[in-house]
Amino acid sequence: MRDAFYYAFCVLAWGSTYFAVTFLKGPVPPSLSVIYRLVIVAVVFALLHPLLRRRLTGLSARTHLWLVLFGLGNFGLSYAMMYAAVTMIPSAHAITLFAIKVVMTPVLLGLFLRERIPRAIWVGGVIGIAGVVLMFWPQLAGGDLRGDAWMGFLLTLGGAAITSFGDVASTRLIRAGGDPMTLTFWGTTYGVLFLIVVALVQGQALVWDPSLHFALAMGWLVVACSIVAWLMYMHLVKTIGPARCSNMVTLFPVVGVALSLAFEGVAPTVNVLGGAALVTAGAFLANRGKLAA
């Protein structure tokens, strides 16, 4: 029962990420919102290490180079692009498009780590792309995919690709014996340091939104999505195994689209529902192919 609750919580938390980010819209730039989130997460994980008897030191310089790639790919740069994207397109569109990462990651693993790419991944990719085209078809056919909508599309797709590169780095680190919690601490640290440098170069001033919705959204993203769900996920990897855990990613578009339909005013059209269904099916097939490899 506990594992089922943990699994459901992870799906809900990570599936609601894009929707929660929509509540951060306002005076705080997207990159600064990411900085706030990652700083808190890095501090919390640093404090958890001695409590869980983990070490943060003793890593080689080569490992830290991989950690920089991991941090930029999975946290800093990809988060900033994701946050910016949902200011331009509905979260339902964003999370569905981002699910293409399930196909991108094994392809990049095949290119850089020479893993075999099963046929199911290619088939799943074709189905997923068909779902994206179906979801965005009204904008494509009407010539409306331009301006902010086009930029949101590109940011989400680019963020998915960059996250997949981060997945390659994390796979390399874990195969070398890296501890997931230690990797997460250094990844968030390097990711936020990169964004801080960018903010300083741009002359970005510190801004905070005192509204209740901003505080609640930031709290959900930090506590539920980045800390509690991650600790639950690590527990599940030990109890039910990584294969069954990896299946949860195929449910994220279901949660994201349901929230967007209920609260963002997105119409339940054939394009939205059918596109999300195709992407979910493609992600599921690709994920099963990855596990069978």
Side-chain angles (χ1 to χ4, degrees):
M1 181 63 71
R2 183 175 64 175
D3 286 349
F5 172 76
Y6 283 3
Y7 194 97
F9 186 88
C10 288
V11 170
L12 175 62
W14 289 334
S16 68
T17 297
Y18 275 88
F19 176 70
V21 170
T22 64
F23 290 92
L24 300 181
K25 296 177 184 178
V28 182
S31 59
L32 194 55
S33 294
V34 178
I35 289 174
Y36 292 148
R37 177 182 176 182
L38 292 184
V39 165
I40 298 171
V41 172
V43 170
V44 170
F45 273 99
L47 295 174
L48 285 175
H49 267 73
L51 295 177
L52 300 177
R53 298 180 180 179
R54 309 288 178 88
R55 292 183 59 190
L56 294 174
T57 57
L59 303 176
S60 67
R62 183 181 180 85
T63 297
H64 277 283
L65 288 176
W66 281 102
L67 283 167
V68 170
L69 295 176
F70 169 56
L72 293 180
N74 284 81
F75 300 104
L77 190 53
S78 60
Y79 273 24
M81 295 174 75
M82 177 187 77
Y83 278 42
V86 294
T87 66
M88 304 173 187
I89 59 176
S91 64
H93 291 65
I95 195 167
T96 301
L97 182 56
F98 191 82
I100 295 295
K101 180 187 83 72
V102 178
V103 178
M104 291 181 178
T105 295
V107 171
L108 291 179
L109 288 172
L111 291 174
F112 292 101
L113 299 184
R114 298 183 179 180
E115 288 193 356
R116 185 177 68 86
I117 305 175
R119 182 181 300 176
I121 289 177
W122 297 112
V123 175
V126 172
I127 296 174
I129 292 171
V132 170
V133 172
L134 178 60
M135 175 171 279
F136 285 90
W137 184 250
Q139 291 87 351
L140 291 168
D144 296 327
L145 193 60
R146 57 179 182 269
D148 284 351
W150 176 242
M151 183 57 65
F153 179 90
L154 292 179
L155 284 172
T156 305
L157 192 61
I162 290 172
T163 303
S164 293
F165 277 102
D167 289 343
V168 172
S170 66
T171 300
R172 168 67 173 73
L173 289 163
I174 290 174
R175 287 181 180 176
D179 171 63
M181 182 171 286
T182 302
L183 299 181
T184 302
F185 165 77
W186 284 112
T188 54
T189 298
Y190 284 128
V192 76
L193 286 176
F194 168 78
L195 293 179
I196 288 174
V197 170
V198 172
L200 290 174
V201 171
Q202 294 178 339
Q204 175 68 58
L206 288 178
V207 182
W208 182 261
D209 187 342
S211 65
L212 179 61
H213 66 79
F214 183 90
L216 291 175
M218 182 64 70
W220 176 258
L221 290 167
V222 170
V223 178
C225 300
S226 295
I227 298 174
V228 176
W230 179 245
L231 293 175
M232 287 181 175
Y233 181 81
M234 287 194 293
H235 168 83
L236 289 172
V237 168
K238 294 179 181 179
T239 57
I240 68 174
R244 294 175 67 186
C245 285
S246 65
N247 280 330
M248 68 175 62
V249 71
T250 63
L251 298 174
F252 295 165
V254 177
V255 175
V257 170
L259 290 171
S260 191
L261 291 174
F263 300 107
E264 279 190 283
V266 173
T269 63
V270 172
N271 295 90
V272 171
L273 298 180
L278 282 175
V279 170
T280 300
F284 179 80
L285 181 60
N287 192 60
R288 300 308 299 172
K290 180 180 66 175
L291 297 179

